[in-house]
């Protein structure tokens, strides 16, 4: 691979990076390389795809491969939010059918395999952390080597940063992450006890400390998470699962689900849940996508589906840019800004619905106005496209 030149190098093989690589190959024929630091073997916390993701998977050409994986069907969600009674949002009336509780490791691996099948040069176990700009445009990316082996590299006309929240490449180019809301969660996954079960609905339950999330996962497991912030979860540590469970007493629906599981008190996992965006989404020869570009509130349950959606949009922008349409990246950025601002608007409305604990730190923090965004308000992207 040393010295090979690609049209596009994608750093990060999660859903956004793998889907973008696949879309570029299928629709433009560009020479694409995908570099992923993992081998897709590590476990992920459970995630859910909504029913309309079937359309996104079909557009990528991976619907059949996805369907063969047998992910657990999701029948919808229920929530105790803003009131003491449960509200339901089932998928019975969805024209797309049910959603899915994902085995994320298998899902990511499938996307990478499909990218390989369509001609993407996929390199797993390859963390690209060094690069330099080339005089004639593009970047030289240095690959990890062992021992005293010669330093290997590849060149790329264009780089896509899909490295997640770290946005490793974009921040090296001067981009900075603007955080609207600093939040995190403490999560654990537990096996169902023999003969016990929980329904296939995702459950969201607000409490004084923040809100609980739980969902059935493939393999007779259930994932639980308490989402809060530094003020509401002060002193609560991942290793103290018993204290975490004690707080669940304020969320009786969630507690009922945990009692169906073999709770062993094993250490939990702390996961970031910041709502944030980059102040710079692209340069002349690079673009940030997925969580590298912006991160949504997990309350929306749109992380993976948004990654797939943004991959389609970004692949089209990159392809047009490399064909000489130098407005493509700017127009893509306007669309992304508009999507992020719309997310903030909808999110604010949901948090204002919950008024049972107005003086509790978590809810008081959510009612405060966020700092101004470090970029101009985005216009309607359709009107911008007409004026371009």
């Amino acid at each position: 691979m040393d010295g090979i030149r690609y049209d596009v190098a994608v750093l990060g093989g999660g859903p956004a990076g793998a889907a973008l690589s696949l879309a570029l190959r299928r629709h433009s024929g560009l020479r694409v390389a995908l570099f992923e630091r993992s081998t897709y073997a590590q476990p992920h916390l459970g995630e859910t795809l909504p029913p309309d993701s079937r359309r996104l998977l079909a557009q990528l050409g991976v619907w059949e491969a996805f369907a063969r994986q047998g992910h657990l069907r999701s029948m919808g969600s229920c929530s105790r939010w803003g009131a003491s009674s449960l509200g339901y949002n089932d998928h019975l009336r969805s024209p797309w059918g049910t959603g899915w509780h994902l085995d994320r490791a298998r899902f990511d691996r499938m996307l990478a395999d499909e990218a390989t099948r369509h001609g993407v040069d996929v390199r797993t176990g390859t963390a690209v952390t060094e690069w330099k700009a080339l005089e004639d445009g593009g970047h030289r990316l240095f690959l990890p080597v062992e021992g005293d082996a010669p330093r290997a590299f590849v060149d790329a006309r264009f780089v896509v940063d899909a490295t997640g929240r770290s946005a490793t490449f974009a921040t090296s180019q001067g981009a900075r992450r603007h955080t609207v809301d600093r939040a995190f969660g403490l999560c654990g996954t537990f096996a169902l006890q023999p003969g016990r079960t929980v329904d296939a609905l995702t459950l969201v339950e607000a409490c004084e400390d923040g809100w609980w999330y739980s969902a059935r996962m493939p393999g007779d497991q259930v994932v639980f998470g308490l989402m809060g912030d530094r003020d509401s979860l002060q002193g609560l540590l991942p290793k103290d699962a018993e204290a975490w469970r004690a707080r669940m007493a304020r969320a009786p629906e969630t507690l009922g689900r945990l009692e169906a599981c073999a709770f062993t008190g094993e250490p939990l996992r702390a996961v970031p849940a910041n709502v944030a965006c980059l102040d710079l989404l692209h340069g002349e020869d690079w673009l940030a996508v997925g969580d590298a570009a912006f991160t949504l509130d997990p309350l929306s349950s749109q992380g993976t589906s948004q990654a797939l959606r943004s991959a389609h949009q970004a692949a089209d922008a990159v392809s047009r840019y490399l064909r000489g349409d130098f407005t493509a990246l700017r127009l893509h950025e306007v669309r992304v800004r508009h999507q992020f601002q719309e997310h903030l608007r909808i999110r604010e409305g949901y948090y204002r619905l919950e008024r049972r604990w107005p003086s509790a730190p978590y809810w008081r923090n959510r009612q405060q106005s966020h700092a101004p965004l470090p970029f101009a308000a985005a216009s309607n992207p359709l009107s911008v496209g007409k004026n371009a």
Side-chain angles (χ1 to χ4, degrees):
M1 177 178 282
D2 190 10
I4 294 177
R5 185 172 178 85
Y6 296 93
D7 295 306
V8 182
V10 181
L11 308 185
L20 181 142
S21 301
L22 178 56
L24 280 174
R25 280 295 302 171
R26 292 187 72 238
H27 300 299
S28 70
L30 293 169
R31 193 172 193 183
V32 182
L34 174 64
F35 299 96
E36 163 58 25
R37 66 171 59 242
S38 77
T39 59
Y40 297 110
Q42 74 279 19
H44 285 264
L45 290 173
E47 295 186 34
T48 303
L49 274 181
D52 63 354
S53 297
R54 176 170 180 165
R55 175 177 56 84
L56 299 173
L57 295 168
Q59 288 175 348
L60 278 174
V62 301
W63 165 248
E64 290 79 8
F66 173 79
R68 288 195 297 269
Q69 289 192 298
H71 295 278
L72 182 67
R73 291 188 177 274
S74 166
M75 305 309 297
S77 62
C78 59
S79 63
R80 189 190 297 274
W81 189 278
S84 58
S85 59
L86 280 173
Y88 290 85
N89 179 26
D90 62 53
H91 294 157
L92 292 178
R93 298 181 180 179
S94 167
W96 303 104
T98 66
W100 301 270
H101 297 302
L102 295 180
D103 180 328
R104 261 294 304 279
R106 284 199 299 135
F107 178 74
D108 290 3
R109 176 80 259 180
M110 179 273 293
L111 289 177
D113 288 344
E114 288 297 301
T116 298
R117 190 169 69 86
H118 283 84
V120 176
D121 192 350
V122 176
R123 301 279 292 186
T124 59
T126 305
V128 178
T129 59
E130 295 183 66
W131 41 77
K132 72 174 183 179
L134 298 173
E135 291 184 1
D136 58 347
H139 286 80
R140 176 159 294 172
L141 309 175
F142 295 100
L143 308 180
V145 296
E146 296 182 1
D148 297 327
R151 199 174 197 190
F153 66 88
V154 299
D155 293 340
R157 294 169 58 197
F158 197 93
V159 174
V160 173
D161 186 343
T163 59
R165 293 173 182 269
S166 63
T168 306
F169 188 90
T171 53
S172 78
Q173 304 304 303
R176 295 294 177 266
R177 188 168 292 278
H178 176 85
T179 300
V180 175
D181 188 357
R182 297 186 183 278
F184 70 98
L186 290 178
C187 304
T189 302
F190 306 98
L192 285 167
Q193 297 183 51
R196 302 292 299 274
T197 188
V198 299
D199 60 45
L201 294 172
T202 298
L203 172 64
V204 171
E205 187 170 12
C207 64
E208 185 175 356
D209 300 315
W211 52 275
W212 286 91
Y213 164 90
S214 59
R216 178 81 176 268
M217 289 289 115
D220 288 334
Q221 293 186 317
V222 184
V223 61
F224 296 85
L226 173 57
M227 313 308 295
D229 60 19
R230 183 175 60 182
D231 293 330
S232 68
L233 303 185
Q234 186 174 15
L236 193 60
L237 301 175
K239 63 183 180 181
D240 194 355
E242 292 295 342
W244 174 83
R245 177 175 178 166
R247 295 201 182 201
M248 201 182 289
R250 303 173 183 177
E253 296 290 337
T254 305
L255 181 61
R257 285 188 163 193
L258 185 67
E259 290 175 345
C261 298
F263 176 73
T264 60
E266 295 178 359
L268 307 170
R269 178 179 173 185
V271 296
N274 290 348
V275 180
C277 63
L278 290 182
D279 60 0
L280 182 66
L281 295 182
H282 73 87
E284 291 187 358
D285 49 17
W286 65 270
L287 175 69
V289 300
D291 282 355
F294 67 91
T295 51
L296 304 179
D297 193 310
L299 183 63
S300 69
S301 296
Q302 292 183 351
T304 302
S305 59
Q306 176 58 31
L308 297 176
R309 188 174 297 108
S310 66
H312 280 285
Q313 298 168 351
D316 178 65
V318 172
S319 177
R320 288 191 291 115
Y321 178 79
L322 292 177
R323 293 198 307 265
D325 180 358
F326 298 117
T327 67
L329 298 183
R330 179 179 65 84
L331 292 177
H332 175 72
E333 178 164 5
V334 170
R335 291 186 178 92
V336 171
R337 298 294 189 208
H338 182 80
Q339 292 165 2
F340 184 70
Q341 290 166 337
E342 184 68 5
H343 171 74
L344 295 182
R345 184 188 67 79
I346 295 172
R347 171 184 179 273
E348 181 179 6
Y350 275 110
Y351 278 105
R352 291 192 181 282
L353 289 174
E354 183 53 85
R355 297 185 175 275
R356 286 178 288 174
W357 305 281
S359 61
Y362 179 82
W363 298 103
R364 187 177 63 245
N365 293 344
R366 304 286 90 64
Q367 300 301 323
Q368 297 173 356
S369 299
H370 60 75
L373 296 171
F375 44 80
S379 306
N380 185 317
L382 295 180
S383 64
V384 171
K386 291 178 181 179
N387 296 329

